[in-house]
Structure formats: structure tokens, C-alpha cells
Amino acid sequence: AVFPFAFFYGVVYTEAVFLAATVSCFYLFRTRRWIAGGLCGAVATATRVNGIMMFPALAWLAWSAVTRPSEAGETPGARSAEKRRAAVGLLLVGAGIGAYSMYIWRLTGHPFEWAATLQRWGYYPGGAPWIPLVRLGRALVTRPIVYIATETTAPYDALNGLAALTV
């Protein structure tokens, strides 16, 4: 237990659960298993708050699936039942972050304490999505050594910016 990796490999991180739940959610939505997909989406949004960003893509998958032309032998009742299941699946995706916020509320008395904690760490989400990349690029071009040596979030910003540029 003296070796440094013994500590890091023993820590439980949310990335693996988030990735598995997100991939499962998209797969299940693509195969029109709305409720199971919604449950996987709820796990993803409860695991990581930014999981809610998959909601528009899932809504588009559901919309395109339920508005497709009717197949031979498909009854109107079956079509409306599929629309209801798709809507419930989408609501379940949002329920994950709602359940997490309720859990935080029970602990702290404030349902969005997770957002306040981010701000206490010096991170203020919001604004245009390209602004952080522009600021990072400017800092790395004009004063890279000073930026990396003095900014506490520089390693994270640099890695996140690099990941964003590769996508």
C-alpha cells in the first residue's frame, strides 16, 4: 500500500459509471427501448451533472423515431403508446439530476449546492462555449510559463481545452 497507484486505483470515480450509463442510454434509445434508456439516462445524469447535456440528442432520437412514417399493420394505438413511452423515457433522463439535487437538498438544505461548490472552487459556468478556449489559447500563446505556474486550474484548463479541440 506504499506504492502511489495503490491509492489512486482504490478510489471510486464516476467516469466509468457515467460512460456505461450514457452509452447504454443511447443504445437503448436507438433501439426504441425508451423506459430502459430513460433509466440509464437517469443514472448518467445522477452520476455526473453534465450528463443532462445528452438530453437534446435523446429528444431528437425519440422525435425522429416516433414521427417516422407508419409501418404496415401498425395501429394508431400502438403509435400513441410508443410516443408516451418515449416521453416517459425522456422524463426519466431528467429525473436523475432531479434525484441527485433532492439528495443534496436533504444533506445541505440547498438543492443546487453542487453548483455553489463549483463556484467556491473558482469555476463559473455559463457564457459562450468558445470563450474558455479563446482565453486558454491566448494565455498559452502570450504567457505560457506564467499561466501554467501561477493559475491553479491551468493543468485542468489545458487538458480540457486540448480534449475539446480534438473532438
Side-chain angles (χ1 to χ4, degrees):
V2 177
F3 194 65
F5 288 131
F7 173 75
F8 288 106
Y9 285 142
V11 176
V12 178
Y13 292 105
T14 61
E15 282 81 3
V17 174
F18 176 72
L19 180 63
T22 301
V23 170
S24 299
C25 177
F26 275 98
Y27 173 75
L28 291 167
F29 263 70
R30 292 278 310 213
T31 57
R32 298 183 188 154
R33 290 182 267 176
W34 310 114
I35 305 300
L39 290 172
C40 287
V43 169
T45 58
T47 304
R48 296 189 56 117
V49 173
N50 57 354
I52 200 65
M53 298 302 287
M54 70 179 167
F55 189 84
L58 294 172
W60 181 79
L61 281 172
W63 177 261
S64 63
V66 298
T67 58
R68 74 189 191 293
S70 297
E71 297 174 3
E74 187 176 29
T75 64
R79 176 72 114 186
S80 63
E82 184 177 13
K83 287 180 182 178
R84 283 192 298 275
R85 284 192 301 274
V88 168
L90 285 171
L91 289 174
L92 285 172
V93 172
I97 193 169
Y100 178 69
S101 293
M102 293 304 293
Y103 171 73
I104 295 298
W105 175 68
R106 295 267 310 182
L107 290 177
T108 66
H110 186 333
F112 298 112
E113 183 61 31
W114 53 267
T117 301
L118 288 174
Q119 291 175 354
R120 282 194 296 275
W121 288 342
Y123 178 71
Y124 298 91
W130 58 84
I131 297 297
L133 287 175
V134 170
R135 288 184 188 149
L136 173 65
R138 186 180 315 130
L140 289 176
V141 168
T142 59
R143 52 186 180 89
I145 303 299
V146 173
Y147 176 71
I148 291 174
T150 59
E151 292 290 327
T152 56
T153 61
Y156 307 110
D157 290 343
L159 290 173
N160 285 333
L162 182 63
L165 288 174
T166 60
V167 174

